[in-house]
Amino acid sequence: MSELLSVENLIVRFRVRDMLSSLLKPGSPSHIEAVSGVSFHINQGETFGLVGESGSGKTTLGQALIGLAPVNQGSIQFMGQELAGLSERAYKPQRRNMTMMFQDPTGCLSPRLRVESILAQPFLIHGVRMENKTTKIEELLSLVGLPPEFKNRYPHQLSGGQARRIGLARALALSPRLIIADEPTAGLDVSIQGDILNLLGKVQEESKVSVLAITHNLAVIRHISERMAIMYLGRFVEVGSTEEIFARPSHPYTQALLAANPIPDPDEAHARVELKGDVPSLVNRPKGCEFHSRCPHCRDKCEIESPRLQKLAPGHHVMCHYPLNN
Ligand SMILES: Nc1ncnc2c1ncn2[C@@H]1O[C@H](COP(=O)(O)OP(=O)(O)OP(=O)(O)O)[C@@H](O)[C@H]1O
Ligand code: SF4
Ligand SMILES: [Mg+2]
């Protein structure tokens, strides 16, 4: 399988203190590293899942790929082109090929535009002529399972599930090669979550588009992704095939996340490990293993020495001194 996207050692920093407060309170960090040295790849036509608790850096990583968050270090190779460091002008053409379904589906649809205009936006932005606008809009609506009349609706006239469908239709408008789907099912009823996932799967199969699926929800990831990464404080703590990670979670954080999600098949029940404590602050990262204060398997070494990402099996990596199920 050929690689569509290849990310190496990506770092995204945000300033959290202005110059004046830095002068008044010297010594405290002025930046946080929301994405801290992440490497992975996505193959053509593949769905790659990204999970982690709130604030772990999932959206920031997705935004960095598409040029909406600053890349301070590292490389983003997409369709053979290096994107890190490109100017906004040079980035723009690649946003035809890499699109994003945003985390807040209604908020990102302009409230004063009808669905028809919302779906026409990508064509206008990229200067692509629409031969027959009405037909094209109706085709896009049909692709996401909505009837043609929906073109006349405003965003406030859409349910959560319908807004996701419109978000997906807009992301698909220019036949991209990669869709970054940020929490595609968050806030939806369980029955509608299934509809949206099945739709994403169907579209993915038909168009062979690759998908980066970002979510808190491990059941979602399991349903749609071939490979996945678990993110904690801006780092990937485990990466591997979804099947392998669900069968043999190796990082204690992965195991805790799996245990915190309902597991439908009792034969696959993992040891119950609940996540204790709060996520540490990015302003003041813990020493040693950054998960140690919450880890039921913590030993002395963990409090002093940071673990590196180590290979457990081909394609399966974990950032832990004492991987489980190993
Ligand atoms: N523009 C910004 N300026 C400063 N800090 C930011 C900015 N955007 C995000 N952050 C911080 O970066 C960290 C990662 O945020 P991000 O939104 O990427 O997390 P997430 O994993 O998507 O969380 P959620 O699951 O809640 O959507 C958080 O600590 C957040 O407060
Ligand atoms: S390195 Fe130690 S503290 Fe960190 S996850 Fe592994 S066992 Fe737990
Ligand atoms: Mg997010």
Side-chain angles (χ1 to χ4, degrees):
M1 245 194 250
S2 56
E3 281 182 15
L4 178 71
L5 173 81
S6 174
V7 174
E8 283 298 325
N9 196 27
L10 188 72
I11 295 182
V12 177
R13 293 193 190 101
F14 290 120
R15 175 173 277 283
V16 284
R17 290 156 56 79
D18 58 28
M19 296 294 267
L20 182 62
S21 36
S22 297
L23 284 172
L24 292 173
K25 250 191 166 184
S28 65
S30 56
H31 291 79
I32 54 161
E33 231 165 68
V35 177
S36 189
V38 158
S39 303
F40 68 109
H41 71 276
I42 302 182
N43 293 319
Q44 313 255 12
E46 181 184 43
T47 297
F48 186 90
L50 184 56
V51 287
E53 286 167 288
S54 195
S56 55
K58 306 179 298 294
T59 295
T60 304
L61 172 56
Q63 290 183 340
L65 298 181
I66 201 161
L68 297 178
V71 171
N72 296 88
Q73 218 173 290
S75 155
I76 303 169
Q77 289 272 339
F78 178 65
M79 294 174 72
Q81 186 187 7
E82 177 58 58
L83 302 185
L86 284 188
S87 65
E88 173 59 24
R89 195 188 163 92
Y91 222 113
K92 193 179 156 194
Q94 282 296 18
R95 292 212 190 97
R96 272 189 75 161
N97 300 317
M98 189 199 290
T99 56
M100 190 150 184
M101 281 175 76
F102 288 92
Q103 188 161 357
D104 171 11
T106 316
C108 73
L109 304 178
S110 318
R112 279 191 231 125
L113 293 184
R114 289 182 199 272
V115 163
E116 181 174 38
S117 305
I118 289 170
L119 295 183
Q121 273 175 333
F123 296 88
L124 285 173
I125 291 169
H126 290 281
V128 178
R129 239 172 71 86
M130 293 176 89
E131 288 297 331
N132 185 334
K133 186 174 166 186
T134 307
T135 313
K136 185 67 202 169
I137 299 294
E138 290 181 2
E139 270 172 25
L140 283 171
L141 287 170
S142 150
L143 200 62
V144 296
L146 292 175
E149 307 81 77
F150 268 70
K151 63 179 180 288
N152 297 318
R153 294 210 181 176
Y154 286 98
H156 72 269
Q157 297 172 312
L158 302 171
S159 68
Q162 290 161 352
R164 299 282 163 160
R165 286 172 191 264
I166 298 297
L168 178 59
R170 186 173 62 177
L172 287 166
L174 297 176
S175 307
R177 306 286 295 280
L178 175 69
I179 295 180
I180 300 166
D182 195 357
E183 301 283 3
T185 63
L188 298 178
D189 287 349
V190 176
S191 61
I192 303 185
Q193 288 185 14
D195 291 348
I196 296 293
L197 289 179
N198 289 335
L199 176 64
L200 200 58
K202 181 171 149 267
V203 163
Q204 204 249 346
E205 203 158 289
E206 282 168 9
S207 60
K208 300 290 174 235
V209 64
S210 304
V211 178
L212 173 62
I214 299 175
T215 177
H216 288 87
N217 189 329
L218 277 155
V220 168
I221 289 295
R222 185 178 202 183
H223 189 76
I224 63 175
S225 68
E226 283 103 343
R227 288 186 306 121
M228 64 185 288
I230 318 287
M231 204 166 180
Y232 189 71
L233 293 182
R235 304 186 204 276
F236 282 4
V237 294
E238 186 161 1
V239 193
S241 80
T242 306
E243 199 183 343
E244 172 94 4
I245 287 180
F246 273 85
R248 277 176 295 280
S250 294
H251 197 285
Y253 180 57
T254 311
Q255 195 184 61
L257 282 183
L258 288 181
N261 275 263
I263 300 161
D265 182 351
D267 291 340
E268 292 184 34
H270 300 287
R272 291 270 141 195
V273 185
E274 296 301 330
L275 278 171
K276 60 171 186 181
D278 294 328
V279 180
S281 162
L282 286 172
V283 179
N284 194 9
R285 285 176 177 271
K287 294 214 168 17
C289 170
E290 293 178 341
F291 187 58
H292 83 253
S293 62
R294 307 173 79 192
C295 181
H297 305 279
C298 177
R299 302 188 209 171
D300 291 348
K301 180 179 175 181
C302 308
E303 294 180 24
I304 307 159
E305 204 176 302
S306 309
R308 290 171 182 275
L309 201 64
Q310 56 165 309
K311 184 174 168 182
L312 291 182
H316 190 180
H317 293 80
V318 65
M319 192 178 275
C320 173
H321 293 305
Y322 308 106
L324 309 165
N325 294 311
N326 195 25

